[in-house]
Protein backbone atom coordinates (compact mmCIF):
# COMPACT_ATOMS: atom_id res chain seq x y z
CA UNK A 1 0.00 0.00 0.00
CA UNK A 2 2.86 2.40 0.72
CA UNK A 3 4.01 2.12 -2.90
CA UNK A 4 0.50 2.58 -4.27
CA UNK A 5 -0.47 5.85 -2.57
CA UNK A 6 2.13 8.07 -4.26
CA UNK A 7 1.02 6.88 -7.71
CA UNK A 8 -2.54 7.91 -6.92
CA UNK A 9 -1.34 11.31 -5.66
CA UNK A 10 0.80 11.86 -8.78
CA UNK A 11 -1.93 11.03 -11.29
CA UNK A 12 -3.74 14.42 -11.31
CA UNK A 13 -0.40 16.23 -11.62
CA UNK A 14 0.71 13.96 -14.46
CA UNK A 15 -2.62 14.48 -16.25
CA UNK A 16 -2.29 18.25 -15.83
CA UNK A 17 1.23 18.20 -17.32
CA UNK A 18 0.11 16.08 -20.29
CA UNK A 19 -2.91 18.30 -20.93
CA UNK A 20 -0.78 21.45 -20.68
CA UNK A 21 1.66 19.97 -23.22
CA UNK A 22 -1.28 19.17 -25.50
CA UNK A 23 -2.56 22.75 -25.19
CA UNK A 24 0.90 23.99 -26.18
CA UNK A 25 1.12 21.55 -29.11
CA UNK A 26 -2.31 22.54 -30.40
CA UNK A 27 -1.33 26.18 -30.03
CA UNK A 28 1.77 25.68 -32.17
CA UNK A 29 -0.31 23.78 -34.74
CA UNK A 30 -2.82 26.63 -34.78
CA UNK A 31 -0.02 29.13 -35.42
CA UNK A 32 1.34 26.97 -38.25
CA UNK A 33 -1.98 26.26 -39.95
CA UNK A 34 -3.56 28.65 -42.41
CA UNK A 35 -3.81 29.58 -46.06
CA UNK A 36 0.01 29.47 -46.08
CA UNK A 37 1.66 26.85 -43.85
CA UNK A 38 4.37 28.04 -41.47
CA UNK A 39 6.92 25.66 -40.02
CA UNK A 40 7.33 25.37 -36.23
CA UNK A 41 10.79 26.93 -36.65
CA UNK A 42 9.30 29.98 -38.37
CA UNK A 43 6.67 30.27 -35.62
CA UNK A 44 9.36 30.12 -32.93
CA UNK A 45 11.40 32.78 -34.72
CA UNK A 46 8.39 35.09 -34.87
CA UNK A 47 7.45 34.50 -31.21
CA UNK A 48 11.02 35.22 -30.05
CA UNK A 49 11.21 38.40 -32.12
CA UNK A 50 13.88 37.24 -34.59
CA UNK A 51 11.40 37.57 -37.46
CA UNK A 52 8.25 39.59 -38.04
CA UNK A 53 4.94 38.19 -39.32
CA UNK A 54 1.63 40.03 -39.19
CA UNK A 55 -0.18 36.82 -40.12
CA UNK A 56 1.18 34.88 -37.14
CA UNK A 57 1.25 37.64 -34.52
CA UNK A 58 -1.89 39.59 -35.38
CA UNK A 59 -4.13 37.02 -37.08
CA UNK A 60 -3.35 33.55 -35.79
CA UNK A 61 -1.98 34.21 -32.29
CA UNK A 62 -5.11 36.02 -31.01
CA UNK A 63 -7.26 33.14 -32.23
CA UNK A 64 -5.01 30.53 -30.61
CA UNK A 65 -4.89 32.49 -27.35
CA UNK A 66 -8.66 32.93 -27.37
CA UNK A 67 -9.15 29.19 -27.90
CA UNK A 68 -6.95 28.33 -24.93
CA UNK A 69 -8.21 30.99 -22.51
CA UNK A 70 -11.89 30.77 -23.44
CA UNK A 71 -11.78 26.97 -23.37
CA UNK A 72 -10.24 27.07 -19.89
CA UNK A 73 -12.88 29.56 -18.72
CA UNK A 74 -15.72 27.38 -20.04
CA UNK A 75 -14.18 24.28 -18.48
CA UNK A 76 -13.97 25.98 -15.09
CA UNK A 77 -17.53 27.33 -15.40
CA UNK A 78 -18.77 23.82 -16.12
CA UNK A 79 -16.80 22.40 -13.18
CA UNK A 80 -18.27 25.05 -10.87
CA UNK A 81 -21.87 24.28 -11.76
CA UNK A 82 -21.36 20.53 -11.82
CA UNK A 83 -19.84 20.74 -8.35
CA UNK A 84 -22.66 23.02 -7.25
CA UNK A 85 -25.41 20.75 -8.58
CA UNK A 86 -23.52 17.46 -8.06
CA UNK A 87 -24.86 16.50 -11.47
CA UNK A 88 -22.91 15.94 -14.74
CA UNK A 89 -25.69 17.79 -16.61
CA UNK A 90 -25.28 20.91 -14.49
CA UNK A 91 -23.39 23.09 -16.96
CA UNK A 92 -24.07 26.68 -18.07
CA UNK A 93 -25.23 25.71 -21.55
CA UNK A 94 -27.76 23.19 -20.20
CA UNK A 95 -29.26 25.27 -17.38
CA UNK A 96 -29.75 28.41 -19.44
CA UNK A 97 -26.82 30.67 -18.59
CA UNK A 98 -25.46 30.67 -22.15
CA UNK A 99 -28.91 31.55 -23.46
CA UNK A 100 -29.26 34.31 -20.86
CA UNK A 101 -25.90 35.82 -21.78
CA UNK A 102 -26.90 35.64 -25.45
CA UNK A 103 -30.10 37.54 -24.60
CA UNK A 104 -27.98 40.32 -23.13
CA UNK A 105 -25.82 40.42 -26.24
CA UNK A 106 -28.92 40.57 -28.44
CA UNK A 107 -30.24 43.45 -26.35
CA UNK A 108 -26.97 45.33 -26.85
CA UNK A 109 -27.05 44.65 -30.59
CA UNK A 110 -30.70 45.53 -31.22
CA UNK A 111 -31.47 48.27 -28.67
CA UNK A 112 -28.06 49.78 -27.91
CA UNK A 113 -25.24 50.54 -30.30
CA UNK A 114 -23.58 47.14 -29.82
CA UNK A 115 -20.13 48.24 -28.66
CA UNK A 116 -17.79 45.75 -27.01
CA UNK A 117 -18.39 47.26 -23.58
CA UNK A 118 -22.17 47.11 -24.04
CA UNK A 119 -22.00 43.51 -25.23
CA UNK A 120 -19.89 42.48 -22.24
CA UNK A 121 -22.00 44.34 -19.69
CA UNK A 122 -25.35 43.19 -21.09
CA UNK A 123 -24.15 39.58 -21.34
CA UNK A 124 -23.01 39.53 -17.72
CA UNK A 125 -26.15 41.26 -16.40
CA UNK A 126 -28.59 39.00 -18.27
CA UNK A 127 -26.56 35.91 -17.39
CA UNK A 128 -26.78 36.91 -13.72
CA UNK A 129 -30.52 37.54 -14.01
CA UNK A 130 -31.16 34.11 -15.51
CA UNK A 131 -28.94 32.43 -12.92
CA UNK A 132 -30.78 34.30 -10.14
CA UNK A 133 -34.14 33.08 -11.46
CA UNK A 134 -32.92 29.49 -11.74
CA UNK A 135 -31.28 29.57 -8.31
CA UNK A 136 -34.24 31.17 -6.50
CA UNK A 137 -36.67 28.68 -8.02
CA UNK A 138 -34.42 25.76 -7.09
CA UNK A 139 -33.91 26.71 -3.42
CA UNK A 140 -37.57 26.33 -2.51
CA UNK A 141 -37.66 24.07 0.61
CA UNK A 142 -33.89 23.63 0.53
CA UNK A 143 -31.28 23.63 -2.21
CA UNK A 144 -31.41 20.71 -4.65
CA UNK A 145 -28.95 20.20 -7.47
CA UNK A 146 -31.37 18.01 -9.43
CA UNK A 147 -34.12 20.62 -9.09
CA UNK A 148 -31.69 23.30 -10.29
CA UNK A 149 -30.86 21.27 -13.41
CA UNK A 150 -34.52 20.57 -14.25
CA UNK A 151 -35.57 24.18 -13.67
CA UNK A 152 -32.53 25.35 -15.63
CA UNK A 153 -33.51 23.23 -18.63
CA UNK A 154 -37.02 24.72 -18.55
CA UNK A 155 -35.70 28.28 -18.21
CA UNK A 156 -33.21 27.59 -21.00
CA UNK A 157 -36.07 26.62 -23.32
CA UNK A 158 -38.00 29.80 -22.50
CA UNK A 159 -35.00 32.09 -22.87
CA UNK A 160 -34.08 30.42 -26.18
CA UNK A 161 -37.60 31.12 -27.43
CA UNK A 162 -37.21 34.76 -26.35
CA UNK A 163 -33.93 34.99 -28.23
CA UNK A 164 -35.57 33.64 -31.39
CA UNK A 165 -38.33 36.25 -31.06
CA UNK A 166 -35.77 39.06 -30.66
CA UNK A 167 -33.91 37.92 -33.79
CA UNK A 168 -37.13 37.70 -35.80
CA UNK A 169 -38.11 41.23 -34.76
CA UNK A 170 -34.68 42.75 -35.45
CA UNK A 171 -33.60 44.52 -38.62
CA UNK A 172 -32.35 42.19 -41.32
CA UNK A 173 -28.68 43.16 -41.07
CA UNK A 174 -28.67 42.81 -37.28
CA UNK A 175 -30.60 39.54 -37.45
CA UNK A 176 -28.11 38.03 -39.92
CA UNK A 177 -25.19 39.12 -37.75
CA UNK A 178 -26.87 37.82 -34.59
CA UNK A 179 -27.68 34.40 -36.08
CA UNK A 180 -24.13 33.96 -37.37
CA UNK A 181 -22.69 35.10 -34.05
CA UNK A 182 -24.99 32.79 -32.09
CA UNK A 183 -23.18 29.73 -33.45
CA UNK A 184 -20.10 30.66 -31.43
CA UNK A 185 -17.04 31.61 -33.44
CA UNK A 186 -13.41 32.63 -33.06
CA UNK A 187 -13.25 33.88 -36.65
CA UNK A 188 -11.84 37.39 -36.87
CA UNK A 189 -10.95 37.90 -33.21
CA UNK A 190 -8.01 40.28 -32.65
CA UNK A 191 -6.09 41.63 -29.70
CA UNK A 192 -8.42 44.61 -29.28
CA UNK A 193 -11.27 42.17 -28.58
CA UNK A 194 -9.31 40.11 -26.07
CA UNK A 195 -7.36 42.24 -23.59
CA UNK A 196 -10.26 43.13 -21.31
CA UNK A 197 -11.89 39.64 -21.43
CA UNK A 198 -8.52 38.03 -20.66
CA UNK A 199 -8.06 40.23 -17.58
CA UNK A 200 -11.62 39.55 -16.41
CA UNK A 201 -11.16 35.79 -16.81
CA UNK A 202 -7.78 35.93 -15.02
CA UNK A 203 -9.39 37.65 -12.01
CA UNK A 204 -12.33 35.21 -11.94
CA UNK A 205 -10.08 32.15 -12.17
CA UNK A 206 -7.87 33.50 -9.39
CA UNK A 207 -10.90 34.02 -7.14
CA UNK A 208 -12.24 30.51 -7.66
CA UNK A 209 -8.75 28.98 -7.30
CA UNK A 210 -8.53 30.50 -3.83
CA UNK A 211 -11.89 28.91 -2.97
CA UNK A 212 -11.15 25.56 -4.67
CA UNK A 213 -10.65 23.61 -1.45
CA UNK A 214 -13.90 24.85 0.10
CA UNK A 215 -15.73 24.11 -3.16
CA UNK A 216 -14.49 20.52 -3.20
CA UNK A 217 -15.52 20.11 0.45
CA UNK A 218 -19.13 20.89 -0.51
CA UNK A 219 -19.03 17.89 -2.85
CA UNK A 220 -18.73 15.68 0.24
CA UNK A 221 -22.10 16.88 1.52
CA UNK A 222 -23.47 20.01 3.17
CA UNK A 223 -23.22 18.75 6.79
CA UNK A 224 -19.55 17.83 6.44
CA UNK A 225 -18.77 21.09 4.66
CA UNK A 226 -20.43 23.12 7.42
CA UNK A 227 -18.53 21.28 10.15
CA UNK A 228 -15.24 22.14 8.41
CA UNK A 229 -16.10 25.83 8.48
CA UNK A 230 -17.47 26.36 4.95
CA UNK A 231 -20.04 29.18 4.68
CA UNK A 232 -22.30 27.46 2.16
CA UNK A 233 -24.52 30.42 1.27
CA UNK A 234 -21.64 32.79 0.59
CA UNK A 235 -19.62 30.12 -1.24
CA UNK A 236 -22.51 29.17 -3.52
CA UNK A 237 -23.14 32.82 -4.37
CA UNK A 238 -19.45 33.28 -5.20
CA UNK A 239 -19.44 30.11 -7.32
CA UNK A 240 -22.47 31.30 -9.28
CA UNK A 241 -20.94 34.75 -9.83
CA UNK A 242 -17.64 33.30 -11.08
CA UNK A 243 -19.37 30.70 -13.28
CA UNK A 244 -21.69 33.27 -14.82
CA UNK A 245 -18.82 35.75 -15.22
CA UNK A 246 -16.69 33.23 -17.13
CA UNK A 247 -19.59 32.15 -19.34
CA UNK A 248 -20.81 35.67 -20.07
CA UNK A 249 -17.32 36.99 -20.82
CA UNK A 250 -16.74 34.28 -23.41
CA UNK A 251 -20.23 34.76 -24.86
CA UNK A 252 -19.74 38.51 -25.19
CA UNK A 253 -16.71 37.99 -27.45
CA UNK A 254 -17.22 34.68 -29.24
CA UNK A 255 -20.93 33.96 -28.85
CA UNK A 256 -22.37 30.96 -27.00
CA UNK A 257 -19.99 28.04 -27.59
CA UNK A 258 -21.99 24.98 -26.64
CA UNK A 259 -20.96 21.78 -24.86
CA UNK A 260 -17.37 22.68 -23.89
CA UNK A 261 -18.49 23.44 -20.33
CA UNK A 262 -20.58 20.26 -20.29
CA UNK A 263 -17.94 17.81 -21.48
CA UNK A 264 -14.63 19.24 -20.20
CA UNK A 265 -15.21 18.76 -16.43
CA UNK A 266 -16.30 15.14 -16.77
CA UNK A 267 -13.48 14.25 -19.15
CA UNK A 268 -10.98 15.98 -16.87
CA UNK A 269 -12.38 14.16 -13.82
CA UNK A 270 -12.09 10.77 -15.48
CA UNK A 271 -8.56 11.46 -16.69
CA UNK A 272 -7.47 12.61 -13.22
CA UNK A 273 -9.26 9.73 -11.50
CA UNK A 274 -10.80 12.14 -9.01
CA UNK A 275 -13.98 11.59 -7.00
CA UNK A 276 -14.92 15.24 -7.35
CA UNK A 277 -14.47 17.58 -10.30
CA UNK A 278 -11.05 19.26 -10.01
CA UNK A 279 -10.69 22.70 -11.54
CA UNK A 280 -7.26 22.42 -13.21
CA UNK A 281 -8.00 19.28 -15.30
CA UNK A 282 -11.39 20.80 -16.26
CA UNK A 283 -9.72 24.04 -17.37
CA UNK A 284 -6.98 22.31 -19.37
CA UNK A 285 -9.44 19.87 -20.93
CA UNK A 286 -11.68 22.79 -21.94
CA UNK A 287 -8.70 24.49 -23.58
CA UNK A 288 -7.81 21.31 -25.48
CA UNK A 289 -11.40 20.76 -26.63
CA UNK A 290 -11.92 24.32 -27.86
CA UNK A 291 -8.54 24.51 -29.59
CA UNK A 292 -9.12 21.13 -31.25
CA UNK A 293 -12.66 22.04 -32.31
CA UNK A 294 -11.43 25.33 -33.78
CA UNK A 295 -8.73 23.60 -35.82
CA UNK A 296 -11.31 21.15 -37.15
CA UNK A 297 -13.65 24.05 -37.95
CA UNK A 298 -10.89 25.74 -39.95
CA UNK A 299 -9.87 22.60 -41.84
CA UNK A 300 -13.22 20.93 -42.49
CA UNK A 301 -14.36 23.16 -45.37
CA UNK A 302 -11.10 25.03 -46.01
CA UNK A 303 -10.60 27.75 -47.13
CA UNK A 304 -13.96 28.57 -45.53
CA UNK A 305 -13.68 28.56 -41.71
CA UNK A 306 -16.76 27.24 -39.93
CA UNK A 307 -17.86 28.69 -36.58
CA UNK A 308 -16.26 26.62 -33.84
CA UNK A 309 -19.68 26.21 -32.21
CA UNK A 310 -20.80 24.03 -35.12
CA UNK A 311 -18.04 21.51 -34.39
CA UNK A 312 -18.39 21.67 -30.59
CA UNK A 313 -22.16 21.17 -30.86
CA UNK A 314 -21.76 18.16 -33.15
CA UNK A 315 -19.18 16.51 -30.90
CA UNK A 316 -20.94 17.59 -27.71
CA UNK A 317 -24.26 16.23 -28.91
CA UNK A 318 -22.74 12.78 -29.21
CA UNK A 319 -21.23 13.16 -25.74
CA UNK A 320 -24.58 14.26 -24.31
CA UNK A 321 -26.34 11.20 -25.78
CA UNK A 322 -23.69 8.95 -24.22
CA UNK A 323 -23.97 10.74 -20.87
CA UNK A 324 -27.77 10.56 -20.80
CA UNK A 325 -27.69 6.87 -21.71
CA UNK A 326 -25.24 6.19 -18.91
CA UNK A 327 -27.31 8.14 -16.37
CA UNK A 328 -30.50 6.32 -17.39
CA UNK A 329 -28.82 2.93 -17.01
CA UNK A 330 -27.46 3.93 -13.60
CA UNK A 331 -30.95 5.03 -12.50
Amino acid sequence: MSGYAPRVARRPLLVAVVLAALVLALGVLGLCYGASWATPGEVLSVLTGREQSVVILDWRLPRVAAGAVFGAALGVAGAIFQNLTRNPLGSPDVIGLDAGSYTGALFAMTVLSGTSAQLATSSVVCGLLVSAVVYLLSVDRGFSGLRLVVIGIAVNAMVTALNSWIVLRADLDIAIAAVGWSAGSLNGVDWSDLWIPFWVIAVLLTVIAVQARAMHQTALGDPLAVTTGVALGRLRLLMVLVGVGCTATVTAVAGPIAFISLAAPQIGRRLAGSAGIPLLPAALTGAVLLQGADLIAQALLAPVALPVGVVSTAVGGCYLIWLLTKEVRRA
Side-chain angles (χ1 to χ4, degrees):
M1 294 298 291
S2 59
Y4 178 73
R7 287 197 295 270
V8 175
R10 285 199 299 265
R11 178 172 173 179
L13 179 60
L14 178 61
V15 168
V17 170
V18 171
L19 288 173
L22 190 54
V23 170
L24 182 61
L26 288 172
V28 172
L29 181 59
L31 293 175
C32 293
Y33 180 80
S36 59
W37 179 264
T39 65
E42 291 171 343
V43 169
L44 182 60
S45 296
V46 171
L47 293 180
T48 55
R50 294 198 300 268
E51 296 181 16
Q52 294 295 320
S53 172
V54 173
V55 171
I56 293 176
L57 287 179
D58 295 334
W59 295 1
R60 297 179 186 174
L61 186 56
R63 183 174 191 141
V64 168
V69 175
F70 289 171
L74 292 174
V76 168
I80 287 172
F81 283 101
Q82 289 179 17
N83 274 307
L84 184 66
T85 62
R86 299 173 198 161
N87 192 310
L89 292 176
S91 71
D93 42 4
V94 173
I95 62 178
L97 304 189
D98 274 10
S101 298
Y102 180 42
T103 303
L106 286 176
F107 177 80
M109 295 171 69
T110 56
V111 178
L112 306 177
S113 55
T115 64
S116 298
Q118 290 171 348
L119 282 170
T121 304
S122 298
S123 296
V124 172
V125 170
C126 286
L128 287 173
L129 287 175
V130 171
S131 65
V133 170
V134 173
Y135 184 79
L136 291 175
L137 290 175
S138 65
V139 295
D140 182 37
R141 291 173 295 180
F143 178 81
S144 169
L146 178 60
R147 189 186 301 122
L148 187 146
V149 171
V150 173
I151 291 174
I153 291 173
V155 171
N156 186 26
M158 291 187 287
V159 175
T160 300
L162 173 63
N163 292 342
S164 298
W165 179 81
I166 293 174
V167 171
L168 290 173
R169 298 283 296 178
D171 293 336
L172 181 60
D173 292 342
I174 296 177
I176 293 174
V179 170
W181 184 76
S182 68
S185 176
L186 299 179
N187 298 339
V189 295
D190 57 36
W191 291 121
S192 63
D193 300 320
L194 299 178
W195 289 119
I196 294 178
F198 279 8
W199 276 109
V200 172
I201 290 172
V203 171
L204 293 173
L205 295 186
T206 301
V207 169
I208 200 62
V210 172
Q211 298 294 326
R213 180 171 181 175
M215 186 183 73
H216 292 312
Q217 285 176 321
T218 62
L220 302 176
D222 291 354
L224 183 58
V226 171
T227 58
T228 56
V230 176
L232 286 177
R234 186 176 63 184
L235 178 62
R236 283 172 177 159
L237 176 61
L238 181 64
M239 290 168 64
V240 169
L241 290 176
V242 172
V244 172
C246 287
T247 302
T249 301
V250 174
T251 302
V253 178
I257 302 176
F259 289 110
I260 299 295
S261 56
L262 175 70
Q266 292 299 315
I267 295 174
R269 180 181 69 83
R270 285 173 169 80
L271 290 175
S274 173
I277 303 176
L279 293 178
L280 183 58
L284 293 173
T285 303
V288 169
L289 290 178
L290 188 54
Q291 285 181 301
D294 190 47
L295 284 170
I296 294 172
Q298 293 180 65
L300 204 58
L301 296 178
V304 177
L306 291 174
V308 66
V310 173
V311 176
S312 67
T313 299
V315 175
C318 297
Y319 170 80
L320 181 59
I321 292 173
W322 172 82
L323 182 60
L324 289 171
T325 303
K326 184 176 179 180
E327 290 297 310
V328 168
R329 287 176 179 174
R330 181 182 299 175

